[in-house]
Amino acid sequence: MGQGMPFRPGTFDGCISISALQWLCNADKRSHSPPKRLYTFFSTLYSSLARGSRAVFQLYPENSEQLQLITSQAMRAGFTGGMVVDYPNSSKAKKFFLCLFAGGTGVLPKGLGSETSDRTVGNQVQYSGQRCRFNNMKGKSAKKGRDWIMEKKERRRRQGKEVRPDTKYTGRQRRPHF
């Protein structure tokens, strides 16, 4: 990626990348220069994209300096756009997206988990911060109760795993001993 994209100009209408872009910031050899590698990648990508197309990169930057370096090299190559962060206040769910536009300007999407993302927008999915249970589970039992426990025990027995003996609360009904 850091040596450029070997495609003809205007070949693609879009580009999606997941967790690849941040690796251009590593300098494994003396000849590796992260700013140069990023600029080479973004400039050749810019030329291989058709005008008006988009590129979206999900990445996990190590720090804010790395984020700034990636964004500045993309803008230097001719892209417009910026960074969108999903769940900015979460340490586990936080995701960074670099949304770029080639040959035009566009509107950046709103990040999930922020206060402004709860508004209803015409053709976007409405997200909420709450989990919901599915009422129609299409034949599957809920993860509670005696039936679920029995299904799990039978499954583990078929797999040849050790299973605790059934009791009067969870397992096979035993006949009373008189």
Side-chain angles (χ1 to χ4, degrees):
M1 282 176 40
Q3 296 174 354
M5 306 296 285
F7 301 109
R8 292 183 304 179
T11 304
F12 300 105
D13 293 327
C15 173
I16 297 174
S17 169
I18 299 173
S19 295
L21 190 60
Q22 70 264 14
W23 297 106
L24 289 176
C25 296
N26 288 357
D28 299 329
K29 300 178 182 175
R30 283 187 156 218
S31 62
H32 290 173
S33 167
K36 185 178 178 186
R37 293 170 72 186
L38 284 165
Y39 178 73
T40 302
F41 169 72
F42 282 124
S43 61
T44 55
L45 177 66
Y46 184 83
S47 69
S48 66
L49 289 173
R51 297 304 137 234
S53 59
R54 298 176 183 203
V56 178
F57 301 91
Q58 185 214 357
L59 62 141
Y60 295 99
E62 289 181 7
N63 51 40
S64 59
E65 290 82 22
Q66 192 178 73
L67 199 59
Q68 179 62 35
L69 174 66
I70 292 170
T71 307
S72 65
Q73 294 303 319
M75 301 305 155
R76 186 174 155 224
F79 284 104
T80 58
M83 193 64 63
V84 176
V85 182
D86 280 354
Y87 304 107
N89 300 324
S90 173
S91 60
K92 289 185 178 181
K94 185 188 291 187
K95 287 190 175 38
F96 292 88
F97 296 93
L98 180 61
C99 300
L100 302 175
F101 306 100
T105 58
V107 179
L108 286 176
K110 302 275 189 236
L112 298 179
S114 60
E115 298 301 320
T116 58
S117 68
D118 291 335
R119 295 186 206 140
T120 305
V121 180
N123 58 0
Q124 287 186 339
V125 178
Q126 176 102 19
Y127 292 97
S128 69
Q130 298 176 355
R131 294 181 68 184
C132 62
R133 297 235 177 228
F134 294 104
N135 294 332
N136 182 8
M137 293 186 62
K138 301 195 182 202
K140 294 186 178 180
S141 63
K143 285 189 176 182
K144 58 183 176 182
R146 184 175 177 269
D147 292 335
W148 179 79
I149 293 170
M150 289 305 299
E151 285 178 23
K152 185 171 180 181
K153 282 187 169 191
E154 279 303 315
R155 198 169 41 247
R156 291 182 65 85
R157 282 186 186 111
R158 283 192 305 264
Q159 293 171 347
K161 296 186 179 177
E162 189 175 328
V163 179
R164 284 186 167 186
D166 296 328
T167 67
K168 65 180 183 178
Y169 301 108
T170 62
R172 301 175 186 131
Q173 295 296 322
R174 297 183 184 162
R175 293 186 185 142
H177 293 92
F178 294 103

